[in-house]
C-alpha cells in the first residue's frame, strides 16, 4: 500500500490518498497467458484458411507451398497450446492460490452465486458500482472455465485426433487420440466439430478482450496491466 500526501489549497491541511497494490499473477502464469493468446490467434487464422483454402496459386505446385506452411503453423501452434495447457495445470499445483482459480470454480458456495449475479448486473449496466476482486470475479472465473478450459481441451483432443490421420496408424497420436474419430462417427464429423470449436473460441476471445478493456476503464481495479506486471491496482480506497 502506497500513501500519497499533498497540501489542501488555502487551509494547509494534509490530504492523504491511498492506493493499494496486490501481487496476483506470477511470472510463469503471465507468460503462459500471452503465449496462449498468440497461439490461439495463429490457430484461428490458419484454421480458417485450412477450412476455406486460398484459390489455386499460379505455376507448379512444388513452387507454391503456401498451404503447407499454413498447415505447419497450425500444427506448431497446436503443440504450443497443448504443452502450455499441461504446464498451466502443473502451475495450478505449485503456484499461488490465484493460479488455481481457472480450474476450481466454487459453485458450491451460496455467496459465490450472489456475487455472480451482481457481476451479471454490472456487465448489463444495471449496477452503478463494481465490486473489487483480487483474482477473477465470479463471472469471469465461470466464463474462463466453460469457454477456455473446456474449449481448449476439446480443440486439443479433436485436433490431435485429426493430426493422427496424417501420422498414420500406430503413431503416438493415433494411440492416444485414435478413439476420438470412431466416437464422433467419422473423420468429417470431427472436422466439422473442430471447425465449430474454433468459432466457439473466437467468440470467447472477442468477448474476453472487450470486457478486459471495459473493466480496466470503468471498474475500480486494473486488469490488463495486471496480466503484464502481475500487480492488481485498486483505483479507490472505498470498502466493498
Amino acid at each position: 500500500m502506497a500513501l500519497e500526501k499533498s497540501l489542501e489549497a488555502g487551509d494547509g491541511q494534509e490530504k492523504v490518498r491511498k492506493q493499494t497494490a496486490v501481487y496476483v499473477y506470477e511470472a510463469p502464469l503471465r507468460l503462459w497467458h500471452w503465449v496462449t493468446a498468440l497461439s490461439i490467434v495463429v490457430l484461428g487464422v490458419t484454421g480458417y484458411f485450412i477450412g476455406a483454402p486460398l484459390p489455386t496459386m499460379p505455376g507448379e505446385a512444388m513452387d507454391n507451398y503456401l498451404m503447407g506452411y499454413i498447415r505447419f503453423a497450425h500444427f506448431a501452434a497446436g503443440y504450443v497450446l497443448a504443452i502450455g495447457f499441461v504446464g498451466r495445470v502443473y502451475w495450478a499445483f505449485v503456484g499461488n492460490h490465484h493460479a488455481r482459480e481457472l480450474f476450481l470454480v466454487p459453485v458450491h458456495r451460496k455467496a459465490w452465486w450472489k456475487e455472480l449475479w451482481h457481476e451479471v448486473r454490472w456487465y448489463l449496466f444495471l449496477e452503478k458500482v463494481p465490486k473489487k476482486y483480487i483474482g477473477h470475479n465470479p463471472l469471469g472465473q465461470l466464463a474462463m472455465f466453460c469457454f477456455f478450459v473446456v474449449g481448449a481441451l476439446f480443440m486439443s483432443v479433436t485436433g490431435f485426433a485429426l493430426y493422427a490421420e496424417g501420422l498414420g496408424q500406430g503413431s503416438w497420436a493415433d494411440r492416444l487420440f485414435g478413439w476420438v474419430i470412431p466416437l464422433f462417427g467419422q473423420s468429417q464429423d470431427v472436422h466439422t466439430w473442430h471447425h465449430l470449436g474454433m468459432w466457439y473460441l473466437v467468440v470467447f476471445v472477442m468477448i474476453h478482450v472487450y470486457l478486459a478493456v471495459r473493466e480496466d476503464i470503468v471498474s475500480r481495479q486494473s486488469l490488463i496491466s495486471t496480466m503484464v506486471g502481475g500487480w492488481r491496482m485498486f483505483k479507490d480506497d472505498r470498502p466493498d
Side-chain angles (χ1 to χ4, degrees):
M1 179 178 292
L3 300 181
E4 296 183 4
K5 299 181 179 180
S6 62
L7 294 179
E8 289 278 2
D11 57 13
Q13 293 182 352
E14 189 176 59
K15 179 182 179 181
V16 179
R17 180 173 66 83
K18 296 181 179 180
Q19 185 174 348
T20 305
V22 181
Y23 188 66
V24 180
Y25 299 126
E26 298 161 300
L29 191 150
R30 303 196 309 271
L31 177 63
W32 165 83
H33 175 274
W34 295 112
V35 169
T36 298
L38 179 61
S39 299
I40 291 177
V41 171
V42 174
L43 285 166
V45 173
T46 56
Y48 175 82
F49 285 118
I50 291 173
L54 294 167
T56 302
M57 302 293 291
E60 293 294 330
M62 62 178 297
D63 297 325
N64 297 283
Y65 196 63
L66 180 60
M67 288 304 302
Y69 291 128
I70 290 175
R71 283 169 56 84
F72 174 78
H74 191 79
F75 296 154
Y79 271 106
V80 172
L81 178 70
I83 295 172
F85 189 85
V86 173
R88 181 64 179 84
V89 173
Y90 167 76
W91 197 255
F93 289 97
V94 301
N96 62 21
H97 69 278
H98 296 295
R100 293 183 281 277
E101 291 179 343
L102 186 65
F103 304 100
L104 300 178
V105 184
V107 295
H108 60 283
R109 290 176 44 214
K110 183 178 179 181
W112 183 84
W113 286 99
K114 182 178 179 181
E115 293 178 357
L116 175 69
W117 177 239
H118 178 276
E119 291 304 304
V120 171
R121 291 178 56 83
W122 163 247
Y123 286 123
L124 293 176
F125 301 97
L126 299 177
E127 292 284 348
K128 294 182 179 179
V129 180
K131 288 180 177 286
K132 294 177 180 178
Y133 295 96
I134 296 179
H136 285 295
N137 68 59
L139 184 59
Q141 185 180 18
L142 182 63
M144 287 295 294
F145 180 83
C146 293
F147 280 87
F148 175 76
V149 174
V150 175
L153 280 173
F154 178 82
M155 294 300 285
S156 296
V157 170
T158 55
F160 278 113
L162 295 172
Y163 185 63
E165 290 186 304
L167 294 183
Q169 291 185 348
S171 63
W172 69 267
D174 180 62
R175 292 194 298 271
L176 292 178
F177 303 99
W179 54 272
V180 175
I181 292 179
L183 179 66
F184 280 82
Q186 59 177 330
S187 176
Q188 185 56 49
D189 294 328
V190 181
H191 276 279
T192 300
W193 281 103
H194 191 72
H195 190 76
L196 290 174
M198 178 194 75
W199 290 111
Y200 183 79
L201 284 179
V202 167
V203 171
F204 161 72
V205 168
M206 291 191 297
I207 296 174
H208 178 68
V209 171
Y210 161 71
L211 292 180
V213 174
R214 175 186 183 270
E215 287 299 280
D216 225 314
I217 296 173
V218 303
S219 75
R220 299 160 67 190
Q221 58 264 315
S222 64
L223 259 75
I224 299 175
S225 59
T226 303
M227 195 51 72
V228 175
W231 292 84
R232 169 131 308 150
M233 303 294 295
F234 294 101
K235 301 176 183 179
D236 63 55
D237 203 42
R238 292 177 296 168
D240 256 343

